[in-house]
Amino acid sequence: MSIRQKVLFKIKSVEFDKVNAPKKVSTYFGENTFSMTAMRKHISKTTFDAFKLWMSEGKTISLSQANEIANAMKNWAISKGATYYTHWFQPMTGLTAEKHDSFISFTGPGKVIEKFSGNKLIQGEPDASSFPSGGIRATFEARGYTAWDPSSPAFIIESALGKTLCIPTIFVSYNGEALDKKLPLIRSEEALNKAALNLVKLFGHKNVKKVFSTCGPEQEYFLIDRNYYNLRQDLIMTGRTLVGAPSPKGQQLEDQYFGTIKERVVNFMFEVAQEAYKLGIPVMTRHNEVAPHQYEFAPIFEESNLAADHNQLLMDLMKKVALRHNLVCLLHEKPFAGINGSGKHLNWSLADDQGNNLLNPGQTPEDNLQFLTVLAAVLRAVYLHADLLRASVALAGNEHRLGANEAPPAIISVFLGEQLNNILDMIEKGIKSKVSKADIIDLGIARLPKFNKDSTDRNRTSPFAFTGSKFEFRAVGSSQNISTPLAIINTIVAESLDYVAQQINKNVASGKDFNSTVLKVISQVVKETKNVRFEGNNYSAEWLKAAQKRGLANVAATFKALEALTKSKNIQLFEKYKVFSGEELAARYQIWVHLYNLTLDIEANTLNEMVNASVVPAGYKYEKLLANTLYRLIKLKKDGGLKIDKAALQDKKNHLSDVISKIYYVRRNALEMMKLLKQAEKLSDEKRAEVYFKQLKPLMEHIRRHVDALECVVSDDAWDLPKYREMLFIK
Ligand code: ADP
Ligand code: MG
């Protein structure tokens, strides 16, 4: 029996004690966060008011107030049993990072007290040399600073033996350049706020003080039993299977989505939700996905900065909790070839401090006009900056998904739904110089229905779809930190909001009627951006052709997509809105191209090892079995007079030859792959990424095909790598 077969007997759920009366969520939601409510209880009213102004209007607080908050935060954390604190931040590599410090200060020999000052709260100085900075900060000059982000509440992470207070922070260089993913997002919110405020004021909403983006990221993932995982060096090293023959049953029966969720998985989901609630993460729906053993968590939307932190935390929780259930949570975009990949649908909208969603049609024709104006601005943003959206989701893992005939394609287009399309078409055609209420009614604007998702959310193939009161950017990868895609959406929309406001102002200033001016501007934008709208099937071959005719880019390669960050029009845009400096963009380009190369290096080396240490030996074992059998049969025929059908003998020979040649091809291509890797060492990162995309990846695919063919002939008990049909179906 192979080790793999032995493992099959170990696949079982972890037994848990039955919880008879689960605690009501409302009794513990957010108990591990230093929320506004917790803060209010622990600090003076003056400091609390100052803090609120800091949050809402960017007023600064004094050092003594910071000290008061720090002290309150410390007392709160210690009362909950925390002994350490850490500045929690999001370096450019997409993971989260922590540097732990103890609360204790030495006050004399053998004496300690618990202490934590405002200075320490507001700023920390972790050794930054081990985080990539893309040349912003020379490695020898290891200074990077973390600075408290008060808009995201501090929280406590529990482990079996202790608790740690985590303080969300940004991570900057000595000169203030962003070394992380969070600061650009915060900056983009400022840009968006300014532009959107300006626009809503034009529409008469003078009382609005703040506009911000909201985000609800739907998180897809796979679960597999940990025993399988431990036997697959590819999953351990790279997060995806580099080899593995397709299982005869995949997702073709479409029986998974609405199927019941297995108890083992439900238990996992319960525990994740519980842990998430303690941290104030509002996870709501949970369900099966299309692929076998694929699932999704969808939280209720929040302010984007918070949603981004919560999504990072949720991913950590999912991985951690899975292990407690003897499962492994796979967040890679494409863990299994031929099976649907995992994405993260970013539901994105704009909200104001009065509780209005700017992508919801309003009660009055005027508000509906504002809704259509914002919608037009988003259309324009996507049309003009599709390259940046594509760049924001460019990473090695996602390259397997985008355009792979199942996920959104690498072509960025917008889906609006029939109703909105009709209205936009009408506006485009019928604008008068003066627009009365009756005209607005004629255009269908007066009675815009509140869209419900049933009437709009029918096109699941679109990368950027209006799904009733929000847009859904579906091209984001499941493992990604969502801060950068959000920062990019915010910036390009801010720019378009400014543009439409300018156009409106220009005409109104010259004495034109407001409503007809607005309609004209919408109509003009609708005309100009027509090419980006697509209602059909984005996975179809016809769309590939049609999109090309329309001049829409279809960038499959990560290195190519990332080039958008180096274009001067884009550098200007980000500098104008103070989201990224040219230098910060250049750094990100460098780091992300480099990361792509590192990912492929690891994958290729892992594949090479698997091929030589697992696959080929299994092949040899089987080859030996065949050769021995053949040899004996021939001997028996010759010496023992055994009668063997000529064709049957030939078949045995063919079988052996076939196995020999399969092994040969695997080995030959693996050698070639290693040669290519060696050659690529001499290249620049950009060139290397290109070679990896154009040559290394096809070669790896080639090896895989031969390995998978071998898997299907080698005897089951010689094959040690868990098979797709097991990992995905025996749970
Ligand atoms: P779907 O059909 O895509 O599953 P849902 O209604 O379940 O749609 O919502 C999906 C996600 O969209 C949820 O996370 C939800 O919180 C989020 N969402 C809803 N409204 C908004 C909004 N105004 N801004 C941002 N996200 C939103
Ligand atoms: Mg969705």
Side-chain angles (χ1 to χ4, degrees):
M1 215 175 358
S2 65
I3 357 177
R4 180 189 117 258
Q5 286 172 315
K6 283 186 198 141
V7 143
L8 291 180
F9 293 99
K10 295 196 188 146
I11 307 302
K12 59 171 193 298
S13 316
V14 177
E15 297 289 328
F16 291 95
D17 292 336
K18 194 168 167 205
V19 182
N20 282 322
K23 273 207 283 183
K24 260 181 86 183
V25 175
S26 57
T27 60
Y28 68 95
F29 188 82
E31 71 174 18
N32 281 351
T33 63
F34 192 59
S35 62
M36 292 295 258
T37 334
M39 190 185 291
R40 190 181 304 144
K41 263 194 236 152
H42 287 82
I43 59 177
S44 67
K45 183 164 179 330
T46 356
T47 305
F48 185 69
D49 288 344
F51 178 79
K52 275 202 304 197
L53 282 180
W54 186 21
M55 294 269 295
S56 58
E57 290 167 35
K59 300 244 159 69
T60 50
I61 58 170
S62 68
L63 186 60
S64 73
Q65 286 169 329
N67 274 329
E68 193 184 336
I69 297 175
N71 203 39
M73 195 188 280
K74 178 203 73 182
N75 288 340
W76 169 81
I78 290 174
S79 76
K80 297 210 142 260
T83 45
Y84 281 83
Y85 72 89
T86 175
H87 281 187
W88 182 80
F89 59 102
Q90 304 171 15
M92 288 185 273
T93 39
L95 309 166
T96 49
E98 299 165 359
K99 175 169 185 285
H100 292 236
D101 276 305
S102 159
F103 278 126
I104 54 170
S105 292
F106 288 88
T107 55
K111 275 198 192 142
V112 295
I113 56 159
E114 268 104 2
K115 205 169 137 190
F116 182 55
S117 68
N119 271 334
K120 279 190 177 159
L121 166 65
I122 292 184
Q123 197 172 86
E125 191 182 344
D127 174 9
S129 57
S130 48
F131 297 103
S133 71
I136 286 179
R137 176 185 34 69
T139 328
F140 56 84
E141 190 214 319
R143 257 187 310 192
Y145 295 89
T146 53
W148 181 33
D149 166 22
S151 61
S152 181
F155 54 91
I156 289 175
I157 290 290
E158 301 173 304
S159 68
L161 298 183
K163 297 183 183 180
T164 305
L165 169 69
C166 298
I167 304 163
T169 54
I170 55 168
F171 186 40
V172 291
S173 74
Y174 184 68
N175 295 321
E177 284 123 345
L179 295 175
D180 69 349
K181 297 198 169 173
K182 192 179 178 74
L183 181 55
L185 173 58
I186 294 174
R187 292 175 182 161
S188 77
E189 285 293 337
E190 273 170 35
L192 185 67
N193 179 34
K194 213 156 130 197
L197 267 184
N198 182 31
L199 186 86
V200 298
K201 295 224 154 116
L202 270 186
F203 280 84
H205 296 289
K206 306 272 186 242
N207 54 340
V208 174
K209 287 215 188 60
K210 183 180 164 192
V211 179
F212 51 92
S213 74
T214 52
C215 174
E218 297 168 62
Q219 176 72 51
E220 291 180 335
Y221 62 99
F222 281 86
L223 284 176
I224 63 165
D225 192 281
R226 194 177 182 179
N227 288 295
Y228 296 133
Y229 181 83
N230 290 346
L231 282 182
R232 301 262 342 188
Q233 49 270 58
D234 48 4
L235 285 178
I236 295 173
M237 291 291 116
T238 73
R240 74 183 185 99
T241 54
L242 301 171
V243 298
S247 138
K249 177 178 188 259
Q251 60 196 52
Q252 66 273 53
L253 296 181
E254 298 184 350
D255 53 357
Q256 161 79 5
Y257 194 80
F258 289 115
T260 50
I261 305 178
K262 207 183 155 169
E263 184 172 342
R264 176 171 196 192
V265 177
V266 176
N267 280 341
F268 159 81
M269 289 173 169
F270 267 124
E271 195 174 339
V272 170
Q274 236 167 44
E275 296 279 335
Y277 292 151
K278 284 196 226 163
L279 291 170
I281 306 172
V283 287
M284 274 293 283
T285 52
R286 31 167 236 211
H287 54 74
N288 286 337
E289 265 303 324
V290 179
H293 232 345
Q294 188 188 29
Y295 311 93
E296 177 187 299
F297 272 118
I300 300 177
F301 66 94
E302 303 175 281
E303 277 198 49
S304 290
N305 182 28
L306 197 55
D309 283 2
H310 280 168
N311 182 250
Q312 288 297 117
L313 275 176
L314 182 66
M315 289 193 288
D316 281 348
L317 275 182
M318 288 160 66
K319 284 196 238 165
K320 209 159 70 179
V321 171
L323 293 177
R324 293 184 202 152
H325 294 246
N326 216 18
L327 293 163
V328 176
C329 173
L330 303 176
L331 290 171
H332 192 281
E333 283 74 18
K334 193 78 175 177
F336 302 100
I339 299 280
N340 263 14
S342 296
K344 185 140 51 189
H345 296 175
L346 284 200
N347 295 274
W348 176 95
S349 187
L350 288 169
D352 68 21
D353 59 340
Q354 313 287 308
N356 299 307
N357 175 350
L358 272 55
L359 283 173
N360 242 345
Q363 307 291 339
T364 63
E366 289 74 25
D367 278 353
N368 287 340
L369 267 190
Q370 181 188 299
F371 159 73
L372 290 171
T373 308
V374 175
L375 192 85
V378 177
L379 269 180
R380 181 179 177 276
V382 178
Y383 174 70
L384 288 181
H385 304 291
D387 61 337
L388 285 173
L389 287 172
R390 174 63 187 88
S392 78
V393 296
L395 66 154
N398 220 14
E399 205 173 68
H400 296 278
R401 233 182 116 236
L402 299 180
N405 262 339
E406 37 124 329
I411 308 164
I412 306 284
S413 68
V414 181
F415 168 87
L416 289 181
E418 200 184 329
Q419 220 164 8
L420 272 180
N421 266 314
N422 287 342
I423 289 167
L424 293 188
D425 288 345
M426 272 201 290
I427 293 178
E428 195 187 329
K429 280 180 215 128
I431 297 154
K432 305 182 177 165
S433 55
K434 209 155 167 49
V435 175
S436 67
K437 269 233 155 74
D439 298 322
I440 287 187
I441 291 172
D442 277 350
L443 288 171
I445 298 170
R447 332 164 234 108
L448 277 187
K450 291 249 180 217
F451 298 93
N452 59 34
K453 67 177 182 213
D454 292 339
S455 66
T456 54
D457 195 17
R458 281 291 157 242
N459 190 329
R460 295 205 164 261
T461 67
S462 174
F464 209 94
F466 185 72
T467 52
S469 78
K470 65 192 160 57
F471 276 95
E472 196 169 326
F473 184 31
R474 298 192 174 114
V476 183
S478 50
S479 73
Q480 264 192 278
N481 181 318
I482 60 177
S483 301
T484 306
L486 284 171
I488 285 179
I489 298 177
N490 287 348
T491 312
I492 63 179
V493 171
E495 195 255 346
S496 275
L497 289 172
D498 274 348
Y499 172 83
V500 292
Q502 265 162 24
Q503 296 298 309
I504 294 172
N505 272 331
K506 210 164 66 190
N507 286 298
V508 172
S510 64
K512 300 230 171 74
D513 170 60
F514 182 78
N515 285 353
S516 55
T517 296
V518 171
L519 285 172
K520 251 217 181 79
V521 172
I522 296 175
S523 150
Q524 173 226 339
V525 170
V526 165
K527 250 185 233 147
E528 282 169 10
T529 59
K530 227 180 193 137
N531 276 343
V532 85
R533 270 156 66 198
F534 180 61
E535 302 288 304
N537 178 4
N538 285 259
Y539 305 166
S540 69
E542 297 85 71
W543 173 231
L544 283 185
K545 272 191 236 135
Q548 197 176 21
K549 253 200 212 134
R550 292 186 187 191
L552 299 182
N554 180 8
V555 188
T558 300
F559 77 96
K560 262 272 167 250
L562 287 173
E563 279 172 11
L565 304 178
T566 64
K567 300 253 154 70
S568 67
K569 79 166 174 79
N570 292 333
I571 296 173
Q572 274 164 26
L573 169 76
F574 286 119
E575 291 204 323
K576 178 171 172 208
Y577 285 91
K578 300 195 168 53
V579 174
F580 291 113
S581 67
E583 206 186 4
E584 287 171 337
L585 279 175
R588 275 151 187 82
Y589 172 68
Q590 260 183 42
I591 290 173
W592 293 337
V593 171
H594 188 62
L595 205 59
Y596 178 84
N597 290 340
L598 291 180
T599 309
L600 273 118
D601 273 337
I602 296 171
E603 288 190 350
N605 282 305
T606 305
L607 180 61
N608 185 53
E609 193 212 310
M610 283 178 89
V611 160
N612 287 309
S614 286
V615 173
V616 166
Y620 286 167
K621 222 164 156 186
Y622 189 51
E623 201 175 55
K624 191 170 142 199
L625 177 78
L626 293 179
N628 281 345
T629 312
L630 188 62
Y631 179 78
R632 286 189 189 188
L633 287 177
I634 291 173
K635 214 166 152 51
L636 278 173
K637 183 172 177 241
K638 219 165 114 198
D639 306 341
L642 174 70
K643 254 185 91 170
I644 307 180
D645 197 67
K646 214 170 161 192
L649 192 63
Q650 191 53 45
D651 173 58
K652 291 231 154 35
K653 286 183 185 164
N654 291 347
H655 188 171
L656 177 57
S657 305
D658 179 49
V659 170
I660 293 173
S661 81
K662 282 193 168 79
I663 295 173
Y664 168 66
Y665 282 117
V666 167
R667 278 186 43 78
R668 200 182 77 177
N669 286 301
L671 282 172
E672 209 169 299
M673 176 176 76
M674 294 318 281
K675 217 164 81 194
L676 185 66
L677 278 187
K678 192 92 204 118
Q679 285 165 358
E681 276 173 12
K682 297 182 211 96
L683 302 174
S684 70
D685 262 342
E686 288 84 352
K687 200 77 205 126
R688 187 164 173 173
E690 186 174 350
V691 167
Y692 280 4
F693 179 76
K694 291 186 178 155
Q695 297 175 42
L696 179 63
K697 278 184 75 173
L699 199 48
M700 288 175 68
E701 277 311 305
H702 200 66
I703 295 172
R704 178 187 188 126
R705 268 201 304 281
H706 290 296
V707 170
D708 292 356
L710 205 55
E711 182 186 326
C712 295
V713 293
V714 163
S715 74
D716 213 34
D717 64 14
W719 200 262
D720 280 335
L721 294 168
K723 300 189 170 188
Y724 271 31
R725 62 174 147 84
E726 296 154 353
M727 290 188 283
L728 293 169
F729 289 97
I730 306 178
K731 356 179 172 168

